[in-house]
PDB file of all heavy atoms in Angstrom:
ATOM      1  N   ASN D   6      -4.978  11.777-124.551  1.00 87.00           N
ATOM      2  CA  ASN D   6      -3.600  11.542-124.084  1.00 87.00           C
ATOM      3  C   ASN D   6      -3.327  12.308-122.792  1.00 87.00           C
ATOM      4  O   ASN D   6      -2.673  11.793-121.885  1.00 87.00           O
ATOM      5  CB  ASN D   6      -2.585  11.948-125.153  1.00 87.00           C
ATOM      6  CG  ASN D   6      -2.297  10.848-126.139  1.00 87.00           C
ATOM      7  OD1 ASN D   6      -2.418   9.674-125.837  1.00 87.00           O
ATOM      8  ND2 ASN D   6      -1.919  11.226-127.340  1.00 87.00           N
ATOM      9  N   LYS D   7      -3.818  13.538-122.702  1.00 90.00           N
ATOM     10  CA  LYS D   7      -3.602  14.347-121.499  1.00 90.00           C
ATOM     11  C   LYS D   7      -4.293  13.739-120.288  1.00 90.00           C
ATOM     12  O   LYS D   7      -3.737  13.721-119.185  1.00 90.00           O
ATOM     13  CB  LYS D   7      -4.073  15.786-121.727  1.00 90.00           C
ATOM     14  CG  LYS D   7      -3.152  16.579-122.610  1.00 90.00           C
ATOM     15  CD  LYS D   7      -3.637  18.002-122.805  1.00 90.00           C
ATOM     16  CE  LYS D   7      -2.688  18.765-123.715  1.00 90.00           C
ATOM     17  NZ  LYS D   7      -3.132  20.153-123.948  1.00 90.00           N
ATOM     18  N   VAL D   8      -5.510  13.226-120.476  1.00 90.00           N
ATOM     19  CA  VAL D   8      -6.231  12.584-119.374  1.00 90.00           C
ATOM     20  C   VAL D   8      -5.474  11.331-118.922  1.00 90.00           C
ATOM     21  O   VAL D   8      -5.282  11.103-117.728  1.00 90.00           O
ATOM     22  CB  VAL D   8      -7.684  12.235-119.788  1.00 90.00           C
ATOM     23  CG1 VAL D   8      -8.365  11.377-118.730  1.00 90.00           C
ATOM     24  CG2 VAL D   8      -8.494  13.504-120.035  1.00 90.00           C
ATOM     25  N   PHE D   9      -5.018  10.529-119.900  1.00 87.00           N
ATOM     26  CA  PHE D   9      -4.247   9.329-119.570  1.00 87.00           C
ATOM     27  C   PHE D   9      -2.962   9.708-118.831  1.00 87.00           C
ATOM     28  O   PHE D   9      -2.625   9.092-117.817  1.00 87.00           O
ATOM     29  CB  PHE D   9      -3.892   8.552-120.846  1.00 87.00           C
ATOM     30  CG  PHE D   9      -4.842   7.449-121.183  1.00 87.00           C
ATOM     31  CD1 PHE D   9      -6.187   7.691-121.383  1.00 87.00           C
ATOM     32  CD2 PHE D   9      -4.388   6.148-121.330  1.00 87.00           C
ATOM     33  CE1 PHE D   9      -7.059   6.670-121.711  1.00 87.00           C
ATOM     34  CE2 PHE D   9      -5.247   5.114-121.657  1.00 87.00           C
ATOM     35  CZ  PHE D   9      -6.594   5.380-121.846  1.00 87.00           C
ATOM     36  N   ALA D  10      -2.244  10.711-119.326  1.00 88.00           N
ATOM     37  CA  ALA D  10      -0.968  11.108-118.715  1.00 88.00           C
ATOM     38  C   ALA D  10      -1.173  11.627-117.298  1.00 88.00           C
ATOM     39  O   ALA D  10      -0.424  11.265-116.380  1.00 88.00           O
ATOM     40  CB  ALA D  10      -0.281  12.163-119.578  1.00 88.00           C
ATOM     41  N   ALA D  11      -2.185  12.459-117.099  1.00 88.00           N
ATOM     42  CA  ALA D  11      -2.445  13.017-115.766  1.00 88.00           C
ATOM     43  C   ALA D  11      -2.839  11.917-114.781  1.00 88.00           C
ATOM     44  O   ALA D  11      -2.355  11.886-113.646  1.00 88.00           O
ATOM     45  CB  ALA D  11      -3.549  14.068-115.841  1.00 88.00           C
ATOM     46  N   THR D  12      -3.673  10.993-115.225  1.00 86.00           N
ATOM     47  CA  THR D  12      -4.107   9.903-114.346  1.00 86.00           C
ATOM     48  C   THR D  12      -2.951   8.963-114.031  1.00 86.00           C
ATOM     49  O   THR D  12      -2.793   8.519-112.887  1.00 86.00           O
ATOM     50  CB  THR D  12      -5.290   9.143-114.977  1.00 86.00           C
ATOM     51  OG1 THR D  12      -6.314  10.087-115.316  1.00 86.00           O
ATOM     52  CG2 THR D  12      -5.858   8.126-114.016  1.00 86.00           C
ATOM     53  N   ALA D  13      -2.115   8.679-115.023  1.00 86.00           N
ATOM     54  CA  ALA D  13      -0.939   7.829-114.798  1.00 86.00           C
ATOM     55  C   ALA D  13       0.025   8.502-113.822  1.00 86.00           C
ATOM     56  O   ALA D  13       0.607   7.846-112.961  1.00 86.00           O
ATOM     57  CB  ALA D  13      -0.236   7.519-116.113  1.00 86.00           C
ATOM     58  N   ARG D  14       0.166   9.818-113.939  1.00 86.00           N
ATOM     59  CA  ARG D  14       1.054  10.566-113.039  1.00 86.00           C
ATOM     60  C   ARG D  14       0.538  10.488-111.601  1.00 86.00           C
ATOM     61  O   ARG D  14       1.297  10.236-110.665  1.00 86.00           O
ATOM     62  CB  ARG D  14       1.158  12.017-113.510  1.00 86.00           C
ATOM     63  CG  ARG D  14       2.225  12.830-112.856  1.00 86.00           C
ATOM     64  CD  ARG D  14       2.456  14.197-113.508  1.00 86.00           C
ATOM     65  NE  ARG D  14       1.271  14.886-113.968  1.00 86.00           N
ATOM     66  CZ  ARG D  14       0.893  14.997-115.262  1.00 86.00           C
ATOM     67  NH1 ARG D  14       1.614  14.449-116.211  1.00 86.00           N
ATOM     68  NH2 ARG D  14      -0.201  15.647-115.597  1.00 86.00           N
ATOM     69  N   ILE D  15      -0.773  10.657-111.425  1.00 86.00           N
ATOM     70  CA  ILE D  15      -1.369  10.561-110.084  1.00 86.00           C
ATOM     71  C   ILE D  15      -1.187   9.149-109.529  1.00 86.00           C
ATOM     72  O   ILE D  15      -0.813   8.969-108.369  1.00 86.00           O
ATOM     73  CB  ILE D  15      -2.859  10.950-110.119  1.00 86.00           C
ATOM     74  CG1 ILE D  15      -2.998  12.446-110.419  1.00 86.00           C
ATOM     75  CG2 ILE D  15      -3.562  10.577-108.813  1.00 86.00           C
ATOM     76  CD1 ILE D  15      -4.409  12.875-110.784  1.00 86.00           C
ATOM     77  N   ALA D  16      -1.429   8.151-110.363  1.00 85.00           N
ATOM     78  CA  ALA D  16      -1.271   6.755-109.925  1.00 85.00           C
ATOM     79  C   ALA D  16       0.179   6.463-109.557  1.00 85.00           C
ATOM     80  O   ALA D  16       0.449   5.768-108.578  1.00 85.00           O
ATOM     81  CB  ALA D  16      -1.752   5.804-111.026  1.00 85.00           C
ATOM     82  N   ALA D  17       1.119   7.011-110.328  1.00 85.00           N
ATOM     83  CA  ALA D  17       2.547   6.782-110.058  1.00 85.00           C
ATOM     84  C   ALA D  17       2.974   7.437-108.746  1.00 85.00           C
ATOM     85  O   ALA D  17       3.777   6.877-108.003  1.00 85.00           O
ATOM     86  CB  ALA D  17       3.392   7.317-111.211  1.00 85.00           C
ATOM     87  N   GLN D  18       2.429   8.606-108.458  1.00 88.00           N
ATOM     88  CA  GLN D  18       2.785   9.319-107.233  1.00 88.00           C
ATOM     89  C   GLN D  18       2.175   8.666-105.995  1.00 88.00           C
ATOM     90  O   GLN D  18       2.625   8.910-104.882  1.00 88.00           O
ATOM     91  CB  GLN D  18       2.333  10.784-107.324  1.00 88.00           C
ATOM     92  CG  GLN D  18       3.103  11.577-108.337  1.00 88.00           C
ATOM     93  CD  GLN D  18       2.471  12.946-108.606  1.00 88.00           C
ATOM     94  OE1 GLN D  18       1.339  13.223-108.226  1.00 88.00           O
ATOM     95  NE2 GLN D  18       3.220  13.788-109.306  1.00 88.00           N
TER      96      GLN D  18
END
Side-chain angles (χ1 to χ4, degrees):
N6 273 333
K7 286 181 181 179
V8 171
F9 265 58
T12 307
R14 191 170 38 255
I15 292 167
Q18 292 169 347

